[in-house]
Amino acid sequence: MRPIWLWILYLLAASLPLALAAGLGWPARPIRYELASALGMLAFSMILVEFILSGRFRGISGGIGMDVTMRLHQLLARTALGFAMLHPLLYSGSSSGGPRPWDPTRQLTITTDFLPIATGVLAYGLLPSLVALAMARRSMRYRYELWRLVHGLGALLIAGLLLHHTLYAGRYGAHPAMAWLWIGMTVLAAGSLIFVYAVAPILQARKPWRVSAVERLTPRQWQITVEPVGHAGLAFRAGQFAWLNIGHSAFSLHENPFSIASAPADGPALNFVIKELGDFTNTVGTIPTGTRAYVDGPHGSLTVDGRSEPEIVLIAGGVGIAPMIGILDQLRATGDRRKASLIYGNRVAEQIVHRDRLEAAGAVMVLSEPPDDWTGETGLIDARLLDRVLTPDQIATALFVLCGPGVMMDGVEDHLIARGTPSTRILSERFDYD
Ligand SMILES: Cc1cc2nc3c(=O)[nH]c(=O)nc-3n(C[C@H](O)[C@H](O)[C@H](O)COP(=O)(O)OP(=O)(O)OC[C@H]3O[C@@H](n4cnc5c(N)ncnc54)[C@H](O)[C@@H]3O)c2cc1C
C-alpha cells in the first residue's frame, strides 16, 4: 500500500475514538478533564494500532519499508506512553468519587470505583515496563523468542486492562457507540496477534520447504538453500526478506528474519546468507539437508523493481551483502539495462562472500583491517570513502540501496543527504532496530 494511504489510515484509526467522543456533544467539563480524557483515548487507540504496526503485515512493511515500520512502532509506542502517563495526572479530587445519582453517565464526575481504577492503575504500571523491557532488550540478553512472547502477551494484557478501564471508568467509554468502537478496535488488535501466531502458521504448514544445501561461505557465514515441497514457492521481489523457521513446527516462535540472497528469476529455490551471531545462527552449519522448513514472506521493500533511476549503487557492510546478491542476480538474469555498482565493506578479507564473482562484477571492496598485499579500498565505508568512489553524477541521479551495521547506515545516509541526495533515492534495510 502507498505510504500516503498508510498515513491517512493511521491518523484515522488513532483519532477515531477522539472524533466520535467530540461528536457526542456532551457538556464540556473543565479543560483539564477534557484534556485528560483526550490523552487517555489517544494513548489507548495508539496502543491498539501498535499491534498492526508490529512489522508482520506485508501491506505495511512493503509500503513504507521494514525499517520505517519498526522505527514508527517504537516512536509511537513511546509517544502513547507519554500520553498515558499524563492522563491521570490531569484529574484532581474535586469531581472524583463513586457514581453520583445526578450524573449516571459520568458526564461531570469521574469514578473512583475500585475495579475500573485498579485495571487502569495496573495498565499504568505495566505499560512503562513493557516499553522499558523493549528498550533494554539487548542489554538484558534474554532469549529473543522469550522476549517476543513476553512482549506480545504483555501488550495483549495491557490492551485488555485498558479496555476494562475505558469502558467502566471513562466518561466517554460509557456511551454505547464508544463502547462498541473500543471493543471492535481491541478485537482487531488481538485478532492481528491471532493471525500472526495461529492463522499464518496454518497457511505456512500447507506450503512446507526443505533444506536442500548448507554451504560454508566464510569462517562465520553460511549459505542455506531451501526449496519448495509440493508448491510453486514464493512470489517475491529481489532484495526482500522472509521469516525462516528451520526444523520446528510451523507454530513455533523459533523463526528469524533473513534477506533472500537469490533472484526470483533464478527459480523457486531460495538462498539465505547467514552470519553466526547467536542461538540459532550459531547452529546453521549443523542443519542436515532434508530438514523441514517454513518460510513466511516476502516482507520488506528493499527492492529496485519499478524504480526509474538510470543507475543503482548498492552499499553493503558485512552480511548486509545478502539482499544485494539477490538484487544483482535479478538484474543480470533479467538483462536489466540499468547500470549497477556495489561498494562492499568488511573487516578482514576472509569475511568477503562470493569474492571472485563480486570482484569480476567490478565491486569496490573495502577492508578496515586489510592484509599487506591488499589492493582494494581501506578503512570504513564513511564520508571520505564515499567522496572518493562516488561520482557527482551518481550522487545526482542514482538510486542508493544500503544494508549493513547501524553505524555504517547512519553515516552513509547522513552523508548522501548532506551531498544533496533526496531521501526518496535512498533505500535502507537494518538487521537490528535498536
Ligand atoms: C529484516 C532483517 C533481515 C535480516 N537479514 C539477515 C541476513 O540476510 N543474514 C543474517 O545473517 N542476518 C540477518 N538478519 C539478522 C538476523 O535476523 C539475526 O542475526 C538472527 O535472527 C539472530 O538470531 P540468533 O538466534 O542467532 O541470535 P540471538 O542470540 O537470539 O539474537 C541476537 C540478536 O539478533 C536479533 N534477533 C534474534 N532473533 C530474532 C528474530 N526472531 N527476529 C528479529 N531479530 C532477531 C536480535 O536483535 C537479537 O538481539 C536480518 C534481520 C532483519 C530484521
Side-chain angles (χ1 to χ4, degrees):
M1 197 185 291
R2 290 169 69 97
I4 181 74
W5 286 114
L6 288 171
W7 278 114
I8 291 173
L9 272 180
Y10 180 81
L11 291 175
L12 277 178
S15 59
L16 191 59
L18 205 58
L20 186 60
L24 292 177
W26 280 356
R29 296 172 301 171
I31 186 77
R32 278 176 56 188
Y33 290 3
E34 292 301 341
L35 195 59
S37 290
L39 288 173
M41 283 190 273
L42 256 185
F44 187 22
S45 54
M46 286 172 75
I47 288 167
L48 293 176
V49 182
E50 284 291 281
F51 283 77
I52 316 285
L53 275 180
S54 63
R56 295 305 295 250
F57 293 95
R58 276 178 241 161
I60 297 173
S61 60
I64 55 176
M66 188 66 175
D67 264 25
V68 179
T69 308
M70 295 320 293
R71 283 188 192 192
L72 276 178
H73 181 83
Q74 293 168 347
L75 181 75
L76 295 170
R78 289 164 206 183
T79 311
L81 174 67
F83 290 166
M85 294 297 102
L86 285 175
H87 161 72
L89 305 182
L90 292 169
Y91 288 118
S92 63
S94 61
S95 17
S96 62
R100 315 283 163 80
W102 44 268
D103 186 22
T105 56
R106 296 197 301 272
Q107 293 189 22
L108 301 170
T109 52
I110 58 172
T111 182
T112 50
D113 284 355
F114 176 73
L115 207 54
I117 291 298
T119 48
V121 169
L122 207 55
Y124 196 77
L126 284 175
L127 189 59
S129 318
L130 189 79
V131 175
L133 274 181
M135 289 167 75
R137 171 174 69 78
R138 277 216 292 180
S139 52
M140 295 182 68
R141 297 190 155 272
Y142 40 79
R143 284 181 69 99
Y144 191 83
E145 290 72 23
L146 177 67
W147 175 78
R148 263 180 80 187
L149 188 69
V150 171
H151 194 68
L153 290 179
L156 199 60
L157 175 65
I158 290 171
L161 291 169
L162 287 178
L163 180 64
H164 183 271
H165 176 71
T166 305
L167 296 187
Y168 294 101
R171 177 203 197 194
Y172 295 102
H175 189 280
M178 290 293 299
W180 281 114
L181 177 64
W182 285 122
I183 293 170
M185 285 179 72
T186 311
V187 167
L188 266 183
S192 74
L193 277 191
I194 295 171
F195 177 82
V196 170
Y197 293 108
V199 179
I202 292 174
L203 300 177
Q204 282 159 34
R206 291 203 196 137
K207 292 189 170 180
W209 297 67
R210 69 180 277 279
V211 175
S212 58
V214 179
E215 184 191 344
R216 191 193 277 274
L217 297 178
T218 71
R220 292 188 56 214
Q221 291 175 105
W222 298 83
Q223 178 167 286
I224 294 249
T225 306
V226 295
E227 56 184 29
V229 178
H231 58 96
L234 201 66
F236 70 101
R237 289 172 289 156
Q240 289 191 288
F241 74 92
W243 290 78
L244 187 61
N245 163 345
I246 298 186
H248 297 280
S249 133
F251 295 89
S252 166
L253 286 179
H254 289 90
E255 49 171 4
N256 300 64
F258 295 108
S259 296
I260 303 170
S262 49
D266 284 338
L270 303 178
N271 287 342
F272 297 93
V273 173
I274 298 181
K275 180 176 178 182
E276 291 179 9
L277 194 94
D279 303 335
F280 166 67
T281 48
N282 284 341
T283 65
V284 161
T286 64
I287 295 171
T289 53
T291 305
R292 179 61 47 114
Y294 297 100
V295 175
D296 173 13
H299 292 277
S301 62
L302 193 82
T303 169
V304 302
D305 290 13
R307 298 291 304 217
S308 56
E309 290 83 358
E311 180 166 1
I312 300 160
V313 178
L314 308 170
I315 304 181
V319 74
I321 192 67
M324 310 306 181
I325 295 171
I327 292 172
L328 285 170
D329 283 354
Q330 179 73 0
L331 292 174
R332 175 197 40 76
T334 56
D336 198 302
R337 299 168 82 100
R338 284 173 290 178
K339 212 173 144 202
S341 49
L342 170 69
I343 303 172
Y344 176 24
N346 279 288
R347 192 171 57 79
V348 293
E350 293 70 37
Q351 290 172 340
I352 303 175
V353 302
H354 298 311
R355 180 171 173 178
D356 295 346
R357 233 180 83 189
L358 296 176
E359 275 181 345
V364 175
M365 297 286 184
V366 188
L367 289 185
S368 58
E369 294 176 21
D372 293 341
D373 59 350
W374 179 249
T375 54
E377 292 288 341
T378 58
L380 299 170
I381 300 184
D382 56 13
R384 274 195 305 177
L385 179 115
L386 293 178
D387 281 344
R388 219 166 39 239
V389 301
L390 293 177
T391 64
D393 199 40
Q394 284 174 319
I395 297 273
T397 60
L399 172 66
F400 290 90
V401 185
L402 322 181
C403 189
V407 187
M408 181 206 96
M409 308 265 293
D410 291 343
V412 174
E413 279 169 5
D414 289 351
H415 187 66
L416 289 175
I417 286 169
R419 284 278 178 269
T421 309
S423 58
T424 46
R425 272 201 284 114
I426 304 174
L427 305 178
S428 313
E429 184 86 272
R430 277 161 208 268
F431 285 177
D432 207 331
Y433 303 111
D434 294 325

